[in-house]
């Protein structure tokens, strides 16, 4: 009989080395690890290492080891943007595709440790390319295909990418995404010019410009499916994924091989209660961490059959997602609250028109899910027979840290992520940094390292330590605020820092402000997150103009959002602009965002201590603008 969650959880805390040593057996190692872990979150001896001495390859673990027993079983089902014939790959076929791409990379001189950037649509080749990198030890850095050319250029330069993998175009909700065109722009914007070649997959077949000597079509390269996997050290880097923080440019979160592999395998197996032969569909794009850990690595390491959809869940209509569930008999569905809320708004008929009897488990991730949406997901979509797993985690955590386990009915609590996974020790800290005992609300931190934890910010180890381990010394600080109830279940309240979560996508307000400030009429901006019933949060921008300029309510919002689109991508869009004569500042000239946040929430009467304010008049002025609805 399986031990209970409590027994297993207590064992994971009382004997973490023994617990995680045993859990490592889920992977196939060339050399078994010598030491399970060694970690300290303190400045004096700060380090995080898991499974030292062990060697393995995750592409081999995702594919080769399934070949003996399941080579002819389906590994991947690809569903195009609009309904049409799906394409399937067996484990054998997928292995062949991955090896071929790995050989292309080798042929282009890519070797272990080199960085390879992927800017891909949601097609099987995106997944194959990630695994091809892992196979030869190259570090993949996937950039979401919705990011702009400028964002891509920044990321290419940051990790000094040697190769860029892309496709002619992508398709999303009936729209064409001009990927190769963006790549050409990005390469001309790149300062460092480290990219030697661009490997292009033909997807829509559109004619795109190909620079001789630099750009190569994958299909035109010699096919060779014999590619032995490189033996990787457990702490060798697997990938870099850029994510927004509260300050500066997005940072390259670096994950390594052994611990990440063990953690994503176990969390996938237990939290989605995966059973061999089941079909699993994660609607996240490969450009996000969910796409890495629970579209590619976690499921494939377990030998799961993936459903991959190029489009969006609500195109051409709100029934599309359920039609795909019916068409491919999906057993486990993992999606985001924004999608759930927007589908709910379209009415139950879109759902009930499709057979969902195959569904067994429903997952959600990325933003807090409101109880109404949770209940709709469970009762209408899942006919009240499928448990919902609301999973809390982050790009930095590599895998899910707090989530229900689907077998436990006491953990079906609308809006709560319930309890920590094995080995995870969350704590809530009060304003003095003291741990809150029992029920309460505070900063969500983690006390002990776990195998899937990020290892550094690529190229900037000090930034890693400073960002996550200095606010509360000795703890990993998530940036989130959470509440713990009497039953010990956690409820995520949202970010405490200057990160805004829009439809599950993270944006740093600093990034948005520096883009807005490039407009030639703008003097200064301050951006805050405001609640939004559909997208969780949205952006509100307070803007001051240069001398002699006047606010043009017709033109400026469009121009400013256009800049954001170019600099960051379509996910960055300000919902409300508030023109202001001045922004609230300290005497040393620092914008006091706390005041703007309160004003944006209509809490002008709860501004607290304003004695540090150098220009109190502006607060009243902003309040008036907000009251008369002059904002646009
Ligand atoms: O604020 C939390 C929110 O998303 C943040 C992490 O964003 P990202 O690194 O992009 O990863 C998203 C997918 C793992 C967190 O700091 N978040 C994530 N999951 C949840 C959540 N908020 C509430 N409930 C969740 N289940």
């Amino acid at each position: 009989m399986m031990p209970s969650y409590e027994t297993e959880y207590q064992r994971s805390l009382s004997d973490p080395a023994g617990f995680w040593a045993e859990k490592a057996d889920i992977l196939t190692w060339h050399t078994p690890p010598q030491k399970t872990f060694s970690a300290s979150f303190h400045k004096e001896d700060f380090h995080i290492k898991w499974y030292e001495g062990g060697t393995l390859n995750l592409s081999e673990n995702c594919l080769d080891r399934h070949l003996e027993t399941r080579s002819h079983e389906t590994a991947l089902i690809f569903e195009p943007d609009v309904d049409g014939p799906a394409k399937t790959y067996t484990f054998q076929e997928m292995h062949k595709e991955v090896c071929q791409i790995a050989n292309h990379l080798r042929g282009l001189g890519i070797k272990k440790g080199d960085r390879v950037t992927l800017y891909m649509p949601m097609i099987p080749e995106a997944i194959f390319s990630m695994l091809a990198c892992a196979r030869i030890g190259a570090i993949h850095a996937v950039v979401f295909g919705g990011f702009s050319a400028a964002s891509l250029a920044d990321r290419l330069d940051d990790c000094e990418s040697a190769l860029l993998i892309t496709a002619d175009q992508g398709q999303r909700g009936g729209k064409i995404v001009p990927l190769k065109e963006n790549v050409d722009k990005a390469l001309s914007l790149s300062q460092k010019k480290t990219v030697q070649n661009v490997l292009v997959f033909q997807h829509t077949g559109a004619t795109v410009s190909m620079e001789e000597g630099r750009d190569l079509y994958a299909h035109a390269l010699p096919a060779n499916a014999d590619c032995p996997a490189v033996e990787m050290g457990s702490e060798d880097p697997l990938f870099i994924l850029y994510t927004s923080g509260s300050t500066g440019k997005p940072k390259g979160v670096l994950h390594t091989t052994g611990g990440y592999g063990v953690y994503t395998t176990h969390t996938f197996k237990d939290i989605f209660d995966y059973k061999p032969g089941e079909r699993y569909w994660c609607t996240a794009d490969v450009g996000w961490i969910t796409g890495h850990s629970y579209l590619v690595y976690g499921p494939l390491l377990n030998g799961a059959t993936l459903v991959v959809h190029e489009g969006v869940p609500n195109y051409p209509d709100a029934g599309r997602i359920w039609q795909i569930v019916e068409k491919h008999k999906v057993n486990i569905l993992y999606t985001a609250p924004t999608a759930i809320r927007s589908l709910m708004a379209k009415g139950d008929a879109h759902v009930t028109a499709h057979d969902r009897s195959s569904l067994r488990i429903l997952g959600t991730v990325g933003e807090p899910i409101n109880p109404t949406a949770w209940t709709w997901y469970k009762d209408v979509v899942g006919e009240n027979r499928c448990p919902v797993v609301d999973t809390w985690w982050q790009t930095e955590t590599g895998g899910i840290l707090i989530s229900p386990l689907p077998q436990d009915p006491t953990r079906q609590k609308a809006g709560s992520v319930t309890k920590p996974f094995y080995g995870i020790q969350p704590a809530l800290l009060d304003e003095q940094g003291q741990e809150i005992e029992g029920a309460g609300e505070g900063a969500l931190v983690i006390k002990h390292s776990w195998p899937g934890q990020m290892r550094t910010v690529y190229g900037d180890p000090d930034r890693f330590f400073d960002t996550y381990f200095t606010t509360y010394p000795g703890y990993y600080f998530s940036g989130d605020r959470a509440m713990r109830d009497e039953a010990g279940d956690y409820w995520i309240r949202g970010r405490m820092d200057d990160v805004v979560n829009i439809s599950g996508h993270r944006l740093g307000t600093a990034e948005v402000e520096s883009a807005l400030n490039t407009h030639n009429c703008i003097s200064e901006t301050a951006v805050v997150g405001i609640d939004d019933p559909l997208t969780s949060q949205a952006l509100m921008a307070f803007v001051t103009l240069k001398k002699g300029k006047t606010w043009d309510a017709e033109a400026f919002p469009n121009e400013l959002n256009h800049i954001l689109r170019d600099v960051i991508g379509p996910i960055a869009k300000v919902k409300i602009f508030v023109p202001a004569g001045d922004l609230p500042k300290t005497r040393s000239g620092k914008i006091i965002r706390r005041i703007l946040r309160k004003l944006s929430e209509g809490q002008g009467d709860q501004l607290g201590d304003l004695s540090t304010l150098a220009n109190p008049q502006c607060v009243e002025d902003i309040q008036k603008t907000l009251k008369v609805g002059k904002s646009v």
Side-chain angles (χ1 to χ4, degrees):
M1 210 178 89
M2 282 265 293
S4 72
Y5 164 77
E6 273 72 26
T7 312
E8 195 70 344
Y9 181 65
Q10 285 315 323
R11 185 168 77 93
S12 74
L13 300 200
S14 58
D15 177 22
F19 180 86
W20 286 114
E22 190 187 302
K23 295 292 171 189
D25 291 347
I26 202 155
L27 297 182
T28 304
W29 300 76
H30 283 272
T31 320
Q34 317 291 297
K35 187 169 183 187
T36 307
F37 71 89
S38 161
S40 161
F41 290 172
H42 294 276
K43 179 127 196 145
E44 314 78 71
D45 60 344
F46 180 68
H47 68 285
I48 301 164
K49 290 194 164 99
W50 282 84
Y51 302 120
E52 272 178 287
T55 62
L56 74 171
N57 184 290
L58 286 190
S59 142
E60 234 175 9
N61 271 278
C62 284
L63 297 171
D64 305 44
R65 68 179 177 145
H66 305 310
L67 293 184
E68 219 170 273
T69 49
R70 341 196 10 213
S71 64
H72 297 296
E73 287 177 25
T74 306
L76 192 154
I77 302 167
F78 173 65
E79 174 68 25
D81 186 31
V82 284
D83 193 20
K87 199 169 173 189
T88 62
Y89 296 83
T90 62
F91 280 96
Q92 182 74 60
E93 287 163 342
M94 189 154 158
H95 178 265
K96 183 173 155 215
E97 298 284 340
V98 169
C99 288
Q100 272 179 201
I101 300 171
N103 278 323
H104 297 335
L105 303 187
R106 279 198 172 144
L108 294 170
I110 301 299
K111 50 189 191 319
K112 182 176 171 182
D114 287 348
R115 276 79 57 215
V116 173
T117 296
L118 273 68
Y119 187 63
M120 292 286 283
M122 273 292 286
I123 57 175
E125 287 77 6
I127 296 171
F128 302 160
S129 300
M130 288 165 76
L131 295 177
C133 289
R135 194 160 191 92
I136 64 164
I139 306 169
H140 58 73
V142 184
V143 175
F144 173 53
F147 276 126
S148 67
S151 293
L152 175 59
D154 280 348
R155 288 156 173 77
L156 288 171
D157 284 345
D158 185 81
C159 68
E160 302 183 328
S161 224
L163 180 82
L164 183 47
I165 307 182
T166 191
D168 46 10
Q169 296 178 323
Q171 295 174 126
R172 238 176 105 80
K175 293 193 191 110
I176 289 290
V177 187
L179 294 170
K180 179 63 171 61
E181 206 179 300
N182 289 350
V183 160
D184 294 339
K185 266 191 229 155
L187 291 177
S188 66
L189 290 171
S190 154
Q191 307 275 316
K192 293 196 182 167
K193 308 266 183 255
T194 53
V195 172
Q196 301 293 312
N197 292 104
V198 182
L199 185 65
V200 184
F201 286 97
Q202 219 169 24
H203 176 47
T204 62
T207 309
V208 292
S209 79
M210 297 288 283
E211 190 179 298
E212 226 191 299
R214 186 193 72 181
D215 304 347
L216 303 135
Y217 274 119
H219 66 260
L221 297 175
N224 171 5
D226 182 18
C227 182
V230 168
E231 201 170 317
M232 302 292 284
S234 181
E235 281 299 338
D236 282 339
L238 176 67
F239 67 84
I240 298 167
L241 187 61
Y242 286 88
T243 192
S244 296
S246 44
T247 54
K249 286 196 167 190
K251 43 186 175 293
V253 167
L254 183 108
H255 282 286
T256 56
T257 307
Y260 177 83
V262 170
Y263 197 71
T264 51
T265 314
H266 279 288
T267 44
F268 179 79
K269 182 164 107 6
D270 292 352
I271 294 168
F272 296 104
D273 185 31
Y274 184 72
K275 302 206 184 338
E278 285 194 319
R279 291 173 170 195
Y280 165 83
W281 181 20
C282 166
T283 64
D285 191 280
V286 279
W288 310 112
I289 191 68
T290 307
H292 282 59
S293 303
Y294 300 109
L295 173 67
V296 181
Y297 288 106
L300 287 174
L301 288 167
N302 279 283
T305 303
L306 312 179
V307 173
V308 176
H309 176 220
E310 187 178 6
V312 291
N314 56 356
Y315 176 83
D317 62 46
R320 175 67 166 145
I321 182 170
W322 317 119
Q323 181 237 333
I324 296 175
V325 165
E326 177 176 2
K327 181 173 174 183
H328 298 301
K329 301 200 169 31
V330 172
N331 305 109
I332 304 164
L333 176 70
Y334 195 29
T335 191
T338 295
I340 298 167
R341 284 190 290 265
S342 76
L343 296 166
M344 179 174 73
K346 298 284 181 202
D348 299 0
H350 287 287
V351 186
T352 51
H354 299 281
D355 177 14
R356 299 161 335 280
S357 56
S358 59
L359 284 175
R360 198 170 65 77
I361 308 254
L362 300 171
T364 158
V365 61
E367 316 145 60
I369 180 164
N370 46 313
T372 316
W374 188 98
T375 307
W376 182 81
Y377 198 29
K378 182 160 171 107
D379 289 354
V380 178
V381 175
E383 299 169 313
N384 200 16
R385 57 176 179 79
C386 306
V388 171
V389 286
D390 177 4
T391 61
W392 175 80
W393 59 297
Q394 310 176 293
T395 307
E396 294 88 338
T397 69
I400 298 166
L401 296 196
I402 310 183
S403 166
L405 290 178
Q407 305 86 342
D408 181 351
T410 66
R411 302 250 216 121
Q412 290 298 294
K413 241 175 166 172
S416 169
V417 292
T418 74
K419 295 211 163 60
F421 192 70
Y422 306 121
I424 304 302
Q425 295 187 49
L428 300 178
L429 304 186
D430 64 19
E431 275 166 22
Q432 283 70 46
Q434 298 300 312
E435 282 188 33
I436 298 167
E437 298 296 330
E441 185 168 327
L444 177 58
V445 299
I446 310 292
K447 288 161 74 164
H448 188 283
S449 182
W450 63 99
Q453 184 170 23
M454 75 181 277
R455 298 298 194 265
T456 193
V457 171
Y458 185 78
D460 198 349
D462 290 345
R463 191 171 173 200
F464 178 46
F465 184 80
D466 292 346
T467 309
Y468 303 100
F469 302 94
T470 51
T471 321
Y472 302 105
Y475 298 94
Y476 165 80
F477 176 39
S478 65
D480 280 348
R481 198 176 169 75
M483 190 272 275
R484 189 172 47 222
D485 65 17
E486 298 290 345
D489 290 321
Y490 287 83
W491 302 70
I492 307 296
R493 297 293 196 217
R495 302 287 306 192
M496 294 173 72
D497 53 9
D498 292 319
V499 169
V500 181
N501 187 328
I502 304 167
S503 305
H505 300 154
R506 268 165 75 162
L507 271 180
T509 53
E511 279 172 83
V512 179
E513 289 163 7
S514 69
L516 293 175
N517 292 346
T518 60
H519 188 286
N520 57 9
C521 295
I522 299 291
S523 162
E524 212 173 22
T525 52
V527 171
V528 299
I530 51 171
D531 286 345
D532 186 280
L534 194 63
T535 58
S536 209
Q537 282 192 294
L539 298 175
M540 180 184 263
F542 297 87
V543 294
T544 65
L545 300 175
K546 286 185 181 152
K547 250 202 169 115
K549 307 283 179 194
T550 42
W551 179 254
D552 181 341
E554 282 299 309
F556 282 9
N558 284 337
E559 287 172 22
L560 288 164
N561 274 328
H562 198 84
I563 293 176
L564 290 181
R565 211 188 157 84
D566 279 353
V567 175
I568 301 173
I571 56 169
K573 189 171 179 199
V574 171
K575 188 173 176 192
I576 301 174
F577 286 98
V578 186
D582 203 359
L583 299 176
K585 286 186 186 154
T586 60
R587 279 172 235 290
S588 58
K590 210 169 153 262
I591 298 173
I592 313 179
R593 278 153 210 287
R594 174 180 59 81
I595 295 181
L596 293 172
R597 255 183 243 123
K598 286 274 179 206
L599 292 176
S600 74
E601 289 160 1
Q603 296 179 352
D605 51 341
Q606 296 169 35
L607 296 178
D609 179 19
L610 296 181
S611 59
T612 50
L613 202 57
N615 51 351
Q617 181 57 40
C618 79
V619 173
E620 247 172 68
D621 294 345
I622 293 175
Q623 239 167 336
K624 268 190 221 141
T625 311
L626 285 166
K627 229 179 237 147
V628 294
K630 270 206 238 140
S631 45
V632 278

